[in-house]
Amino acid sequence: LRKKNGKNGPPQAIEIKSNDFKWINKLQQSKSATILYSYNDQFSGILGLVNCLRREPNTQSVQCFFVNDSNAPRFSVDDTFYTAQIQLGLAINVYRNGQWGSYRHCLLENNKDPAIPVSNHCFANCLKPGDLSSFAWLNGPLNEQPVSDGRVNVVFSSLNFKDVMLATGRLAIESSFLSRLELECVLGFEYSGVTVDGRRVMGMIPCGAMSSQVESEPYMTFDVPDVWSLEQAATIPCVYGTVYSAFFMSSKIRRGASILIHAGSGGIGLAAIETCFAYGMEVFTTVSTNAKKEFLLARFALLKPDHIGNSRDTSFERMIRTLTNGRGVDFVLNSLSEEKLQASVRCLAKGGHFLEIGKYDMTKNSKLAMELFQKGITFTAVLLDLLFSG
C-alpha cells in the first residue's frame, strides 16, 4: 500500500470530477508529486483511474484521496485534517463514515459454482453479451443507500425484446446507456411490485428492473388495479408506453386513417391494434406464422384475414398496394429491419408517418433512400428511453 515519492517538490492536488474533465490537462502537465482527490463524488471513477495510472511508467508518485463523507472538510494539502494522512505515503486513501482506510484490489478465486449473493438488492446481468450461460445475480448498489419512499420490492420484471438484443450481443450496450452504473446494470425496463408503504405498483425505469429492488421514477409509476395480478401488471407499462409515445407524442393518429402495424401478435403489436381499433382506424398487420394469424383473428373481431401479411419477407408491401389501390397507408409502426424496413417505408401514402420502434438499423447506421421523402412523409424514431432523459 505504501508508495515511494519519486518526484521532488510539494505535491500538486488535482480534483477529479465526474461532470467536469478539465483535470485531464492538469494531470498531463503535472511534473511534481501528484495527489488526485475526489470530494463526495461517488461516480468520479478515481479509484479505477489511480489503479490504472500506477501501472504506467513513472507514475508511482500518484496518491489518491477518495473523500466520501459530507462531514469532512474540503480537501487541501495544507489542512491538518489531511496532512498527517498524506505523510503516511499510502497510494489509496479513503475517508468514509468518519474514519480513514484504504482499498486494495485482490483477485478472487475462480469459483465454478458461485454462491448467490444474499442481500436486499441483487440484479441479474449477462456478464458476457452473447453468452447466455454467463447470466448471474450480482450485489446491487441500493444496498449502500438508505431506503427511500420510492423504493419498490420487485415481484415481477418483464423480459423485453431490447433485453434479448442486449443479452445476445446484437445491440451494443454503449448505444443505449451512458453512465457507468447503467452499463453495469442494463437489463430490465419494466416491473411490478410493492412499495415500502404496501402499495401495489407497476412502472418503468431506464434500466436495471431485472432486480430485487428498484428506485421508482415518480412519473413512470402507476397503481395496479385490484382486478390485475402483479404478473399481468408487469407486461403493461412498456408496451402501452411505447404505443402512447408513438401515437400521441411522436404523431397524432386519427379516426378513419389507415395503419400498418408490424409484429401484431407481440406485446406492442397487440396494444397498438387495440388502440387503433378504438380510434376507428383501418388496421393492417404482419405476423411470422399461421398460428399467430389465427390468434389475432380470434382476438380482434374487426381484423380482416386479408389485412394480415407475412413479417418474414417483403410480401406485405404487395398486400398494402393491392388493398389500398396503390395509395399506401397513413401510418406505419415498424419494428422490422434491413430490407423489410425499406419496404415498410414504401408502404406509406403521401404525407404518411413512419414510426420506428426498432433500434437495429439505427445502431448499424443503415441507409435510407432520400427519394422516398418526395411524398412528404415523416420518419420518427420512437425511443421510450428518452422519456427518462428529462
Side-chain angles (χ1 to χ4, degrees):
L1 287 174
R2 190 179 294 272
K3 62 136 196 81
K4 295 181 180 180
N5 189 342
K7 295 185 179 181
N8 297 322
Q12 178 185 8
I14 301 175
E15 183 174 8
I16 306 300
K17 297 181 179 180
S18 60
N19 59 356
D20 184 352
F21 299 97
K22 295 178 181 179
W23 54 266
I24 295 178
N25 289 333
K26 295 180 181 179
L27 180 58
Q28 291 174 333
Q29 298 169 6
S30 176
K31 296 182 179 180
S32 61
T34 304
I35 295 177
L36 303 183
Y37 71 93
S38 173
Y39 184 77
N40 290 324
D41 186 351
Q42 58 180 326
F43 300 118
S44 66
I46 188 172
L47 295 174
L49 172 64
V50 171
N51 275 295
C52 290
L53 285 176
R54 293 179 65 217
R55 295 177 181 271
E56 298 294 324
N58 303 318
T59 56
Q60 291 299 302
S61 60
V62 174
Q63 275 185 284
C64 166
F65 276 75
F66 181 40
V67 182
N68 191 23
D69 191 320
S70 59
N71 294 320
R74 293 287 303 182
F75 184 86
S76 171
V77 294
D78 299 320
D79 192 318
T80 55
F81 182 83
Y82 294 103
T83 51
Q85 189 69 22
I86 293 174
Q87 291 171 1
L88 290 177
L90 296 177
I92 305 293
N93 303 268
V94 179
Y95 189 76
R96 181 178 178 184
N97 297 329
Q99 59 184 352
W100 285 105
S102 187
Y103 286 151
R104 290 194 65 185
H105 282 244
C106 301
L107 294 177
L108 299 178
E109 294 183 2
N110 185 15
N111 189 345
K112 295 183 179 180
D113 187 21
I116 297 176
V118 179
S119 65
N120 291 326
H121 182 214
C122 296
F123 65 91
N125 201 9
C126 187
L127 302 181
K128 298 178 181 179
D131 180 8
L132 299 184
S133 66
S134 69
F135 260 96
W137 284 101
L138 306 172
N139 279 310
L142 296 184
N143 290 316
E144 301 181 4
Q145 300 177 16
V147 177
S148 67
D149 293 337
R151 187 73 59 87
V152 176
N153 293 310
V154 176
V155 179
F156 290 96
S157 179
S158 299
L159 186 67
N160 286 291
F161 185 63
K162 178 180 177 181
D163 299 314
V164 176
M165 295 284 281
L166 289 168
T168 56
R170 293 194 64 195
L171 185 63
I173 293 176
E174 292 77 7
S175 67
S176 300
F177 307 101
L178 298 177
S179 74
R180 289 180 58 194
L181 182 59
E182 288 179 343
L183 290 173
E184 294 174 357
C185 184
V186 301
L187 299 181
F189 191 52
E190 60 184 337
Y191 64 90
S192 65
V194 181
T195 63
V196 292
D197 59 359
R199 290 168 48 224
R200 299 194 325 146
V201 296
M202 58 185 176
M204 294 180 287
I205 56 175
C207 59
M210 199 171 294
S211 170
S212 59
Q213 292 184 339
V214 297
E215 285 291 348
S216 61
E217 294 276 346
Y219 298 105
M220 293 292 176
T221 307
F222 315 94
D223 289 328
V224 175
D226 293 337
V227 295
W228 290 3
S229 68
L230 287 176
E231 184 176 7
Q232 292 171 325
T235 68
I236 299 298
C238 183
V239 294
Y240 277 94
T242 300
V243 168
Y244 183 86
S245 178
F247 291 169
F248 303 105
M249 297 175 68
S250 299
S251 66
K252 300 293 182 183
I253 61 172
R254 59 187 183 276
R255 183 171 298 276
S258 57
I259 186 170
L260 170 61
I261 300 170
H262 283 304
S265 61
I268 293 176
L270 292 172
I273 293 173
E274 190 85 48
T275 302
C276 290
F277 277 140
Y279 272 73
M281 299 176 67
E282 182 180 13
V283 174
F284 299 88
T285 189
T286 62
V287 293
S288 58
T289 66
N290 285 329
K292 293 178 180 180
K293 178 178 180 179
E294 295 302 321
F295 168 75
L296 288 181
L297 292 173
R299 183 177 179 86
F300 299 105
L302 295 176
L303 187 59
K304 301 175 182 179
D306 63 351
H307 280 43
I308 304 177
N310 188 355
S311 62
R312 293 290 178 88
D313 55 37
T314 61
S315 59
F316 59 81
E317 183 180 1
R318 184 170 61 253
M319 174 189 74
I320 296 296
R321 290 187 179 277
T322 300
L323 296 179
T324 63
N325 295 318
R327 176 183 178 275
V329 293
D330 299 302
F331 297 88
V332 173
L333 184 64
N334 181 67
S335 55
L336 305 184
S337 60
E338 298 177 327
E339 74 280 356
K340 294 184 283 292
L341 181 148
Q342 305 284 341
S344 300
V345 177
R346 294 194 295 268
C347 289
L348 282 174
K350 290 182 179 180
H353 303 279
F354 193 89
L355 304 168
E356 172 64 16
I357 61 174
K359 287 191 174 182
Y360 183 78
D361 281 287
M362 283 187 272
T363 59
K364 294 295 183 181
N365 195 25
S366 299
K367 308 303 179 184
L368 186 64
M370 294 301 295
E371 64 179 359
L372 296 171
F373 289 86
Q374 294 184 87
K375 295 192 295 183
I377 65 173
T378 64
F379 188 109
T380 304
V382 180
L383 301 173
L384 201 57
D385 321 49
L386 297 183
L387 296 180
F388 297 98
S389 64

